[in-house]
Amino acid sequence: MRIILVDDQVLVRRAFALMLSVEDDIELVGECGTGAEAVELAAATQSDIVLMDIEMPVMDGIEATRRITSTDGPEVIVLTTFDRDDYLFEALRAGAAGFLLKNAEPERLVESIRTVADGGALLAPEVTRRVIVEAVAGRRRPPATSPQLERLTGRERDVLVLVARGLSNAEIAEELFVGEATVKTHVSACLAKLGVRDRVQAVIHAYENGLVSPS
């Protein structure tokens, strides 16, 4: 997996680079300190994942994420200190595959990279749900009758609700008494029918359109 590190603090980049250097299946192919440089690096390198800070000079991580994901570039994992939930929510809406706290354990960082590289998304309940809840709480959400949601079968809706609650494919399979391969099929169908890029975007759609209520 080819990784780009983006953070305006050199020490932070060095720390993450050191964490990743011991992994045989991860290669650091570039690092930079601004969102503008990140967009250029993503276009110039055949990278798979961008680890992206949010608050940076020249161009912030949200705009950089939006530009990278809009061109079918690498997946973006946002790195944050989690002190601005609104920033994080906008990053997800910009197309980030998820986000990770900067104080995460090295094992969690590596696990997250592998998850996204395999086509998954970072939907840890304690992080993603808080961002979505705080971003949409207080808005008047319509009933769950958006045209996209109406295309889902009953079982696909069940799966989407469990995805929005932060369950993994294995946990959803156990909850619904089906095989994990069946869950993957339903998730793929949900993404296609909703017209979204990944699980994170599907969860946002579910919250914004009332299929799942913040709690």
Side-chain angles (χ1 to χ4, degrees):
M1 294 169 286
R2 295 165 61 83
I3 308 298
I4 294 174
L5 283 174
V6 186
D7 197 295
D8 61 338
Q9 298 183 44
V10 176
L11 289 178
V12 173
R13 297 205 307 267
R14 293 290 184 266
F16 279 110
L18 182 61
M19 291 180 192
L20 299 177
S21 65
V22 299
E23 303 298 329
D24 294 334
D25 59 343
I26 294 177
E27 177 186 5
L28 181 61
V29 298
E31 59 178 85
C32 58
T34 73
E37 291 172 325
V39 174
E40 294 178 359
L41 266 179
T45 61
Q46 295 181 331
S47 54
D48 302 302
I49 305 287
V50 178
L51 299 179
M52 181 81 74
D53 189 21
I54 293 182
E55 292 189 342
M56 295 181 291
V58 183
M59 179 189 297
D60 64 29
I62 296 173
E63 180 59 27
T65 296
R66 183 176 294 110
R67 296 192 186 191
I68 290 171
T69 59
S70 68
T71 59
D72 293 324
E75 298 286 359
V76 176
I77 299 174
V78 171
L79 299 173
T80 178
T81 54
F82 203 54
D83 55 4
R84 285 293 301 269
D85 290 351
D86 55 337
Y87 281 4
L88 298 177
F89 183 74
E90 289 305 316
L92 292 177
R93 297 199 64 172
F99 53 90
L100 190 67
L101 302 184
K102 286 185 177 179
N103 62 359
E105 295 294 328
E107 295 79 8
R108 176 58 175 156
L109 173 63
V110 173
E111 176 189 352
S112 300
I113 291 173
R114 289 176 177 150
T115 296
V116 171
D118 287 340
L122 304 183
L123 288 169
E126 71 276 10
V127 178
T128 303
R129 187 184 301 145
R130 174 181 163 185
V131 173
I132 294 173
V133 166
E134 293 193 6
V136 303
R139 296 182 185 179
R140 185 176 182 182
R141 292 182 305 281
T145 56
S146 73
Q148 293 87 351
L149 287 176
E150 289 180 347
R151 299 190 186 108
L152 302 183
T153 65
R155 181 43 61 97
E156 288 165 356
R157 281 187 173 228
D158 293 340
V159 169
L160 180 55
V161 167
L162 295 176
V163 169
R165 291 177 179 167
L167 274 65
S168 67
N169 285 349
E171 291 168 334
I172 294 172
E174 183 177 354
E175 180 79 13
L176 298 179
F177 303 101
V178 298
E180 192 169 345
T182 299
V183 174
K184 291 180 179 179
T185 298
H186 287 317
V187 171
S188 296
C190 287
L191 300 185
K193 291 180 180 181
L194 295 178
V196 296
R197 174 186 174 94
D198 54 36
R199 291 166 73 108
V200 172
Q201 303 301 309
V203 170
I204 292 173
H205 188 97
Y207 272 97
E208 287 191 323
N209 289 277
L211 181 63
V212 182
S213 298
S215 61

